[in-house]
Amino acid sequence: MGMFSTVMVHGLECPTCHHRGDYDVQIKFGGCAMDDLEVGDALRWGAYDYGEQGHPHVVTPGWGEPCHDCDGPENSVPGRFDVYVDDDVVTRVTWFDGRHDYDRDGTHNPNTEFIVLDGHGSRSVAARNDPSMWNGTES
């Protein structure tokens, strides 16, 4: 996976068994210089940057361990998370539930996947490897 940062998440509830646990979630967004972050921390940029800074609302995939109690969650990919970033601050981490299709451009590229969200939480721009991202048009 190369360089990444880790978001330490405390008390995340599994939607299957409702166990609350702490998880280390790896992300490839921001300055990925092995930073240790928590919800509420600002991303650092300038070393091993992935993604684009300055977007008001972004979601990016995260990877970690499955639920410590049930190895779930069910109906999801155990150990995969959605990490929300608002104005370059980590604001929320949830279990991946399929709501955001990081691979909708037909290619899986964990080094560049993120989705810019509009103010209502819907997708407005495709992942970074979509050429429309570079000319400012929406997909």
Side-chain angles (χ1 to χ4, degrees), residues 118-135:
D118 69 16
H120 302 289
S122 62
R123 288 173 261 162
S124 61
V125 179
R128 178 150 174 17
N129 54 353
D130 181 336
S132 69
M133 187 76 168
W134 304 321
N135 63 20

Side-chain angles (χ1 to χ4, degrees), residues 30-76:
C32 294
M34 308 298 284
D35 291 332
D36 290 326
L37 305 165
E38 294 189 12
V39 172
D41 288 346
L43 299 175
R44 289 190 318 154
W45 294 86
Y48 307 104
D49 289 348
Y50 292 95
E52 295 177 351
Q53 67 188 96
H55 292 290
H57 307 289
V58 171
V59 62
T60 190
W63 297 268
E65 301 173 88
C67 174
H68 302 294
D69 202 43
C70 73
D71 288 328
E74 289 181 17
N75 303 320
S76 182

Side-chain angles (χ1 to χ4, degrees), residues 87-105:
D87 296 315
D88 296 323
V89 173
V90 177
T91 56
R92 183 168 52 121
V93 178
T94 62
W95 291 100
F96 174 77
D97 61 7
R99 178 180 322 176
H100 304 293
D101 183 5
Y102 299 106
D103 301 329
R104 72 181 176 282
D105 61 358

